[in-house]
Amino acid sequence: MRIFVIANQKGGVGKTTTVLNLGASLAQKGKKVLVIDLDPQANLSSGLGFTKQFDKKSWNNTEEVPYKSIYDVLINQTPISEVFVTTNDPNLFLVPSHLSLAGAEIEMVNILARETLLKNAISEFKEDIDYVLIDCPPSLGLLTINALTAADDLIIPIQCEYFALEGLGQLIETTKLIKGINPTLTIGGVILTMFDSRTRLSTNVVEDVRKYFSEKAFNTVVPRNVRLSEAPSFGQTIFEYDNASTGAQAYKELAKEFIKRF
Ligand SMILES: Nc1ncnc2c1ncn2[C@@H]1O[C@H](COP(=O)(O)OP(=O)(O)OP(=O)(O)O)[C@@H](O)[C@H]1O
Ligand SMILES: [Mg+2]
């Protein structure tokens, strides 16, 4: 079992889209994949079709039926084996998030060894899994630190946009600090996302990233593709939603490269 953290404290760079569709593509290729939604926004959970149930008995039908999430794993020491759910693909499993995770960072402050809560939970999970992919919130707070501490490799998605490299220094500094508790953590790869071939800017970002990260950057570049942004609202992966789209093709190529590398 190899554990990957997909992180970049910059918001909206394609972390969740990558965990979802890279995860789904790896699963289609026969790998057993566990994706963990560590973001209180829970976009990964809903994007995979995980829907909260609402209590039909309550008057206005807005009472959420309680379910166990990554919050319980971190705060209540609930084993991952009691929290993970199956998805449409028998090889793909999800640990869902919950809005309550938004308060978890504050609750964790009083817990001893608060940086290793996720690491410990994953190490007790004995299912036969090839890859764990952890989706992080856009910050370098305790949730992301837990993911960096648990992981073998850091994967950084970078959006082909203005200021793409801004803030990366901070992420790399944090990674160096984490090496105190997780000495083997390395940058496993960099994924360029939302590439727009019509703009000079996108091409410049690709060049800069390749110069800076050299072979760490994956050859596959994910294009800007509206189908990728539409699919999650139907709770579908890009392969279920539009298997012929350029987005689907890119994530398939990326999965091939990923398996070769890891
Ligand atoms: N290649 C792409 N082409 C077009 N739209 C994309 C692409 N990748 C992601 N998007 C869209 O861009 C937005 C941001 O992507 P995503 O949610 O994956 O980023 P994120 O880094 O997880 O964001 P956050 O930091 O808020 O968690 C979403 O609406 C998503 O659907
Ligand atoms: Mg996200």
Side-chain angles (χ1 to χ4, degrees), residues 33 56 72 104 121-122 124 136 138 177 222 233 236 260:
V33 183
K56 305 279 190 297
D72 299 281
I122 295 175
E124 281 161 22
C136 289
L177 289 176
V222 180
S233 59
Q236 291 181 335
K260 242 188 242 154

Side-chain angles (χ1 to χ4, degrees), residues 28-41:
Q28 281 186 344
K29 295 189 191 315
K31 300 292 179 187
K32 288 239 181 299
V33 183
L34 177 72
V35 293
I36 300 180
D37 190 349
L38 203 58
D39 187 347
Q41 298 177 98

Side-chain angles (χ1 to χ4, degrees), residues 54-82:
F54 290 93
D55 188 355
K56 305 279 190 297
K57 293 193 294 282
S58 72
W59 166 245
N60 52 11
N61 202 19
T62 56
E63 288 283 315
E64 185 184 304
V65 176
Y67 65 92
K68 289 202 170 131
S69 72
I70 190 68
Y71 173 86
D72 299 281
V73 173
L74 296 174
I75 304 296
N76 301 325
Q77 274 75 57
T78 307
I80 288 180
S81 54
E82 286 179 27

Side-chain angles (χ1 to χ4, degrees), residues 88-104:
N88 289 342
D89 188 314
N91 285 332
L92 183 63
F93 307 92
L94 164 73
V95 177
S97 181
H98 187 272
L99 200 59
S100 58
L101 193 61

Side-chain angles (χ1 to χ4, degrees), residues 194-243:
M194 298 183 234
F195 179 79
D196 186 343
S197 57
R198 294 165 305 180
T199 69
R200 184 73 233 164
L201 176 69
S202 265
T203 313
N204 289 347
V205 173
V206 173
E207 280 169 10
D208 286 353
V209 166
R210 291 210 195 285
K211 214 178 291 163
Y212 189 72
F213 289 100
S214 58
E215 80 287 353
K216 297 267 186 210
F218 284 97
N219 290 321
T220 310
V221 171
V222 180
R224 184 170 282 285
N225 174 217
V226 68
R227 308 302 264 168
L228 280 169
S229 56
E230 290 165 358
S233 59
F234 298 92
Q236 291 181 335
T237 69
I238 191 63
F239 313 108
E240 293 166 313
Y241 183 66
D242 188 351
N243 193 35

Side-chain angles (χ1 to χ4, degrees), residues 19-20 23 39 45 95 106 129 148 151 167 244 250 258:
V19 170
L20 203 164
D39 187 347
S45 307
V95 177
I106 291 165
I129 295 285
L148 288 167
F258 190 92

